[in-house]
Amino acid sequence: MITWMQTHKKWLIITIWIATIAFVGAGFVGWGAYSYGKKQDEVAKVKDTSIKVKDVQDIYSRLFNQLNQMMGGKLDEATAKQFGLEKTAFQQALQRAMLIQFAKDNGLYVTDKELAQNLISIPAFQKDGKFDEKLYKIFLRNSRLEARDFEANLRKDILIEKLLKILDLPSTTTTQTTLASFMLMQDKISIKTLKAPKITVTEDEIKKYWQKHKNNYKSILSYNIGYFYVTLSGDVTDAQMANYYDEHKQNYTDANGKILPLNKVKEQVKKDLLAKKTKKEAIITMKKLKNDEMKFHKLNNIQIVNNEISETLMNKLVKTKFLKPTLTPKGWLIAKLFQINKPTVLDYEKAKQFAKNDLIIEKRKETLIKLAKNNIHNFKGKNIGFIGRDNFMKLKSMSISEANTFIQNLFNSQTPKGFVLLPNESQPNKVVLFDITEQKLLDSKNYEKYKKMIISYANKIKNDKLNTNLMKQLQKLYEAQIKVYVKI
């Protein structure tokens, strides 16, 4: 094993992350582990390296929050499960444990001095460039962490980093220049743009198209639900708010973990106190709704995204069929799912306009491709000169998006003459013919300009390939010593 890694170490570049810090202020998201090993919180083990529930939870939270940010805050637990986030989190925790175990097996360890040096160098714990113990303690308190647990996790990260540094070598000059030749090549081209003629379709054509593609035109998945809000109404005195604040002041802090005074959070304290006071009423209301002593407000053919219930709670309602009192900005929500309206094929009249639009797009594309093929061998285009992957500004007749699409297709072309449908291949309104008359593989000035980026990209390519191979080797090495105590 060590021979394999030494042979391939020049290819190995793996980024080490310190998971816990990324979760401050991000909110906790749960990972579903329900049965454990000999230790109550142990979900798996690689030889003598334990994987605990929190190890997987931390990774799951990081993945969830990253994906949620990419989706504009619309990710929920059901969607995360569809994406396989639970399995991914567990797999990453297992890979991390294998790296730790391999480091230990090869005599690597982290001294207390190394741990301390790394701890005080973390920017999140520094003030004016120096370690601030107060910031560190605020972080631990807000994260509900013990110092020993955080530092044990940090020690593992340092150990992995040590292992990878032993194996890490930069990419070779040959690799970098080969990649540079690919990335910085320039084509001398001439182009000609052909616009699509007006497309007309007959009623008979639309009907035939709909008959052939009718399964593409269906009603939208919808739901019939009932809902009821118990509003956060009532009177609270200043004394009641003060008492509630004193008992729960740890919930009212600023970004730095400092407890805010009552006058700064009075409105929120009032809402929280009213929520506490009205919760019993919400439970009584739920029982009355279940016994038909009160009636739900009905909504039929409602979609997941609507104006009455949040997307997250709608997804939960669809999954559970009933929502017990759940606190929302509108009050305590109680809801019931009565019916799921599955998509059905639309009749011709309802689908006609959609089918017509799609047919026009299809015919326009066919027309443009025919035009391109008829003109590609003898067209006389405008000479653009040499163009590289970053020279989209030279294509003044195109938008930036169109220019990027054109350049991507140009450099993927296997022939000197070709065409590109714009603004995109699926819904084009024009076609651009091109003729490559000359090619330059590597420009020295461009190479110097982008050298750092190319080296970084060369390293990433090696990392993507060999990180996978490394994990396969470790999987084989520890296969008989991996114990998993949960179902994923």
Side-chain angles (χ1 to χ4, degrees):
M1 179 65 193
I2 193 68
T3 304
W4 182 91
M5 296 185 75
Q6 287 172 335
T7 302
H8 295 82
K9 64 181 180 178
K10 64 181 181 180
W11 298 96
L12 182 61
I13 296 173
I14 298 177
T15 301
I16 298 298
W17 42 266
I18 301 174
T20 314
I21 295 178
F23 310 135
V24 179
F28 175 77
V29 186
W31 175 82
Y34 302 104
S35 59
Y36 310 108
K38 291 181 179 179
K39 296 181 181 178
Q40 189 177 3
D41 61 347
E42 191 176 65
V43 295
K45 198 170 186 179
V46 178
K47 199 174 178 179
D48 59 2
T49 299
S50 177
I51 302 172
K52 297 186 177 181
V53 176
K54 194 175 185 310
D55 296 329
V56 188
Q57 284 177 334
D58 286 348
I59 297 172
Y60 181 85
S61 292
R62 175 175 60 86
L63 294 172
F64 186 98
N65 291 322
Q66 287 175 350
L67 187 57
N68 190 38
Q69 189 174 14
M70 290 169 61
M71 295 176 65
K74 295 182 178 180
L75 180 65
D76 55 42
E77 292 284 355
T79 307
K81 192 168 185 177
Q82 290 177 356
F83 282 134
L85 248 61
E86 287 186 355
K87 291 182 179 179
T88 302
F90 181 80
Q91 189 61 33
Q92 287 192 12
L94 188 62
Q95 290 174 349
R96 187 167 181 260
M98 287 191 289
L99 287 169
I100 292 168
Q101 186 60 51
F102 186 70
K104 291 191 292 187
D105 286 347
N106 283 277
L108 298 179
Y109 59 93
V110 177
T111 66
D112 290 344
K113 183 179 180 181
E114 288 173 321
L115 176 64
Q117 288 173 339
N118 275 268
L119 180 64
I120 65 175
S121 67
I122 295 173
F125 306 149
Q126 292 181 348
K127 186 176 181 180
D128 300 326
K130 294 182 179 180
F131 177 73
D132 188 321
E133 188 177 358
K134 186 178 179 182
L135 286 178
Y136 179 44
K137 288 182 177 179
I138 289 172
F139 161 78
L140 293 173
R141 184 176 68 247
N142 289 347
S143 306
R144 295 181 176 87
L145 285 170
E146 294 290 337
R148 64 175 179 272
D149 295 329
F150 174 76
E151 289 167 19
N153 196 51
L154 179 58
R155 191 184 290 271
K156 292 175 184 177
D157 290 325
I158 300 167
L159 182 60
I160 295 173
E161 190 173 13
K162 264 192 168 186
L163 170 66
L164 298 180
K165 279 184 178 179
I166 293 172
L167 307 168
D168 181 24
L169 283 176
S171 55
T172 64
T173 303
T174 301
T175 301
Q176 294 163 17
T177 53
T178 301
L179 182 61
S181 296
F182 170 76
M183 293 178 66
L184 302 178
M185 71 167 63
Q186 293 186 329
D187 289 340
K188 187 177 183 181
I189 62 170
S190 59
I191 64 171
K192 184 176 182 178
T193 301
L194 301 174
K195 292 186 177 179
K198 185 178 180 181
I199 303 297
T200 58
V201 292
T202 66
E203 184 79 14
D204 187 52
E205 285 178 316
I206 299 170
K207 190 166 288 187
K208 285 180 180 178
Y209 184 86
W210 171 77
Q211 284 285 356
K212 187 177 178 180
H213 302 91
K214 63 170 65 177
N215 285 330
N216 293 341
Y217 307 106
K218 294 183 177 181
S219 61
I220 297 172
L221 177 65
S222 65
Y223 308 91
N224 296 350
I225 69 166
Y227 72 95
F228 196 99
Y229 281 104
V230 176
T231 58
L232 306 183
S233 57
D235 296 320
V236 292
T237 65
D238 287 343
Q240 287 173 322
M241 282 193 286
N243 288 335
Y244 185 86
Y245 170 79
D246 287 339
E247 292 175 6
H248 303 88
K249 63 174 63 178
Q250 71 277 5
N251 296 334
Y252 306 102
T253 59
D254 62 16
N256 295 319
K258 182 180 178 182
I259 294 176
L260 296 168
L262 176 59
N263 65 315
K264 294 285 186 181
V265 292
K266 196 170 184 179
E267 283 303 311
Q268 186 58 49
V269 171
K270 183 179 179 180
K271 289 179 182 178
D272 293 344
L273 181 54
L274 283 172
K276 182 181 179 181
K277 282 176 170 285
T278 54
K279 187 172 183 179
K280 184 177 180 180
E281 181 188 347
I283 293 170
I284 293 170
T285 301
M286 176 187 70
K287 292 178 179 178
K288 289 182 177 180
L289 288 166
K290 281 186 172 183
N291 296 329
D292 286 332
E293 296 173 32
M294 294 178 69
K295 298 296 181 185
F296 283 104
H297 302 297
K298 297 289 183 69
L299 280 175
N300 293 332
N301 297 311
I302 192 171
Q303 297 170 31
I304 289 292
V305 179
N306 60 76
N307 295 324
E308 203 59 56
I309 299 177
S310 73
E311 184 178 354
T312 299
L313 290 180
M314 271 299 297
N315 278 311
K316 187 175 180 182
L317 175 59
V318 170
K319 184 179 179 180
T320 62
K321 308 297 186 288
F322 191 91
L323 285 184
K324 294 179 180 181
T326 304
L327 188 60
T328 76
K330 295 181 181 181
W332 290 101
L333 169 66
I334 305 151
K336 182 177 180 179
L337 176 66
F338 289 107
Q339 182 177 311
I340 298 175
N341 305 310
K342 295 182 179 180
T344 56
V345 175
L346 297 175
D347 61 39
Y348 174 67
E349 287 303 320
K350 289 182 179 179
K352 179 180 175 180
Q353 192 58 48
F354 299 112
K356 180 182 178 180
N357 293 340
D358 290 344
L359 177 57
I360 289 173
I361 289 169
E362 184 177 284
K363 290 189 73 173
R364 184 186 294 126
K365 181 177 179 178
E366 290 172 353
T367 302
L368 285 170
I369 291 174
K370 187 176 180 180
L371 273 172
K373 288 180 177 180
N374 288 340
N375 288 272
I376 192 66
H377 296 295
N378 55 11
F379 81 93
K380 291 184 179 180
K382 180 181 179 181
N383 182 16
I384 302 298
F386 281 100
I387 189 167
R389 295 175 188 273
D390 61 342
N391 296 141
F392 55 85
M393 295 302 291
K394 282 189 175 183
L395 302 168
K396 295 179 181 179
S397 62
M398 305 177 198
S399 68
I400 291 176
S401 175
E402 289 175 341
N404 281 328
T405 300
F406 175 80
I407 288 173
Q408 183 179 356
N409 281 271
L410 174 71
F411 285 101
N412 286 338
S413 176
Q414 301 298 311
T415 58
K417 289 188 176 184
F419 61 88
V420 180
L421 296 167
L422 293 176
N424 56 66
E425 190 175 349
S426 58
Q427 297 187 33
N429 55 35
K430 61 185 174 184
V431 62
V432 180
L433 312 179
F434 65 81
D435 184 13
I436 302 172
T437 57
E438 195 178 336
Q439 193 173 69
K440 290 193 294 189
L441 286 181
L442 185 60
D443 182 280
S444 57
K445 288 184 179 179
N446 262 356
Y447 179 59
E448 289 302 319
K449 181 180 178 181
Y450 294 108
K451 191 172 183 178
K452 286 184 179 179
M453 182 194 74
I454 289 167
I455 292 172
S456 175
Y457 192 45
N459 291 341
K460 184 182 183 303
I461 291 172
K462 294 175 182 180
N463 170 55
D464 289 345
K465 178 182 178 181
L466 287 162
N467 186 26
T468 301
N469 290 340
L470 169 63
M471 288 306 157
K472 286 180 180 178
Q473 292 293 324
L474 292 180
Q475 185 79 33
K476 289 179 182 178
L477 179 65
Y478 294 116
E479 186 174 9
Q481 297 168 297
I482 294 175
K483 295 179 181 178
V484 179
Y485 305 120
V486 292
K487 290 184 179 180
I488 306 299

